[in-house]
Amino acid sequence: MKTKILSIEGKEKGTIDLPKCFFQPIREDIVARILEAKKTKQPYGPSPIAGKQHAASGKIVHRRHVWRSGYGRGMSRIPRKIFSERGSSFNWAGAEISSVRGGRRAHPPKSLFMVNTKKINKKEAQIALASAFSATASKDYLFSKYQNLKERLKEKDLKEIPELPVIVESRLASLKSTKELESSLKKILGENLFRVVSKKKKIRSGKGKSRGRRHKTNAGLLIVTGGSEKLKTKNFEIKSISNLGIDNLARGGLGRLVIYTESAINKLKERVEANKQEKKPENQGGKK
């Protein structure tokens, strides 16, 4: 299927054949499973050997006629370390347990259980990535993701939304300043749609402001470039097609507005064709 290629002025320049990954059925269940498996959490907690770096050799024996015994001393049965000894007299001090000075924490957070061990099947990962590409070409998913889109845009503005997926000529990557890039994107998307999907930064409400996460930002617009194309701006997220993943396409839900350059679509075609050739079984002879 062919779709339009837009110029940096927002006018139709030509057509291009889309890869088949844009027309695959959208599996929301598999996408949700892959996103859950890709979640990461920074492990935190004390050192595993915290409070155990001492010479305390287990609990003190409380039997009679045993060297270094605590029998008859009225001492509790906790691990102790020896500071000094004189004959059969010892200067003990409790160690290791949480109720003594310099001991470990009682129930510390264990970093071993914070590591995500969920696995991803290769075929499911491919289906999820194809579903994410298909969702970027669907207006229904676009409206479901940007719920305030219909509220902010009037009926005449909804008709002016460009054909999805939005593909722009490779000259977009040659724009040097952010001002030129923003003016070009306003012509391509329209000012109203550009205002809705532009990246916004606001102060978080609640106690998170004092815990290192003062600001929060939305996903905003994603621009996908080819291999040799380079764009630098903080106002939008920019990813190369070689480093593009499902986290970028489906962040916050399926249907993110994505602008692909013509070079990125050509690279994606090569990637899809290479995967097809790898899947073809080799004819090793034998009966048919």
Side-chain angles (χ1 to χ4, degrees):
M1 183 178 174
K2 292 189 176 183
T3 188
K4 298 176 184 177
I5 300 175
L6 301 177
S7 65
I8 57 175
E9 288 82 17
K11 298 178 181 179
E12 185 179 350
K13 185 184 177 183
T15 57
I16 190 171
D17 290 323
L18 285 175
K20 289 186 178 180
C21 60
F22 285 98
F23 309 105
Q24 299 298 321
I26 300 172
R27 293 289 304 274
E28 295 183 15
D29 54 337
I30 297 179
V31 172
R33 197 184 310 161
I34 300 299
L35 290 175
E36 185 67 27
K38 282 182 172 289
K39 283 183 179 178
T40 57
K41 183 179 181 181
Q42 177 65 45
Y44 69 96
S47 171
I49 58 172
K52 298 181 181 180
Q53 302 177 55
H54 50 72
S57 55
K59 293 182 180 179
I60 296 175
V61 181
H62 278 251
R63 289 179 293 153
R64 291 184 297 173
H65 313 303
V66 177
W67 172 251
R68 206 179 290 173
S69 172
Y71 180 78
R73 298 177 188 267
M75 298 170 63
S76 60
R77 300 169 185 264
I78 62 170
R80 296 177 184 270
K81 58 183 177 181
I82 299 172
F83 281 112
S84 62
E85 60 180 283
R86 185 173 181 180
S88 60
S89 302
F90 300 94
N91 183 13
W92 273 307
E96 184 170 333
I97 62 174
S98 57
S99 60
V100 300
R101 179 178 175 274
R104 56 175 173 78
R105 287 175 64 180
H107 301 285
K110 297 173 178 61
S111 59
L112 184 64
F113 300 101
M114 299 178 192
V115 179
N116 193 351
T117 57
K118 292 182 180 179
K119 295 183 180 179
I120 303 172
N121 295 330
K122 288 183 179 179
K123 289 185 179 179
E124 284 187 332
Q126 292 172 358
I127 292 170
L129 188 60
S131 298
F133 276 117
S134 297
T136 60
S138 172
K139 285 190 177 182
D140 294 334
Y141 279 91
L142 180 72
F143 290 132
S144 64
K145 180 173 176 62
Y146 303 96
Q147 294 179 357
N148 58 353
L149 195 59
K150 286 186 177 180
E151 298 174 3
R152 292 191 178 185
L153 302 183
K154 299 178 181 178
E155 291 184 1
K156 62 176 183 179
D157 296 326
L158 290 172
K159 294 177 183 177
E160 294 176 0
I161 291 176
E163 184 180 348
L164 299 179
V166 182
I167 301 172
V168 186
E169 61 176 338
S170 296
R171 279 178 59 201
L172 186 72
S174 64
L175 300 177
K176 295 181 179 179
S177 65
T178 305
K179 189 175 181 180
E180 290 178 356
L181 180 62
E182 285 188 0
S183 63
S184 177
L185 292 176
K186 284 179 183 177
K187 293 176 184 176
I188 294 166
L189 300 175
E191 289 192 8
N192 293 319
L193 181 59
F194 176 80
R195 199 181 307 118
V196 171
V197 300
S198 59
K199 203 170 185 178
K200 300 177 184 67
K201 182 179 178 180
K202 62 181 183 180
I203 297 175
R204 186 186 300 273
S205 61
K207 287 190 176 181
K209 292 194 292 290
S210 59
R211 293 175 178 171
R213 43 183 187 270
R214 184 172 181 81
H215 296 96
K216 57 188 289 188
T217 59
N218 62 335
L221 177 68
L222 173 64
I223 301 175
V224 180
T225 60
S228 59
E229 297 174 337
K230 290 183 180 180
L231 269 172
K232 287 185 178 180
T233 179
K234 293 182 180 179
N235 296 353
F236 315 103
E237 186 179 359
I238 298 169
K239 276 284 178 181
S240 175
I241 191 67
S242 57
N243 299 327
L244 189 67
I246 190 170
D247 292 336
N248 310 114
L249 295 171
R251 181 179 296 174
L254 291 168
R256 187 177 184 183
L257 184 62
V258 183
I259 292 179
Y260 302 90
T261 63
E262 187 179 356
S263 175
I265 295 294
N266 292 329
K267 289 281 184 183
L268 185 59
K269 283 182 187 176
E270 294 175 6
R271 186 172 162 183
V272 171
E273 289 175 1
N275 290 336
K276 281 184 180 180
Q277 291 177 359
E278 288 178 4
K279 289 180 182 179
K280 285 182 180 179
E282 295 181 1
N283 189 8
Q284 296 178 355
K287 295 181 180 180
K288 294 183 180 180

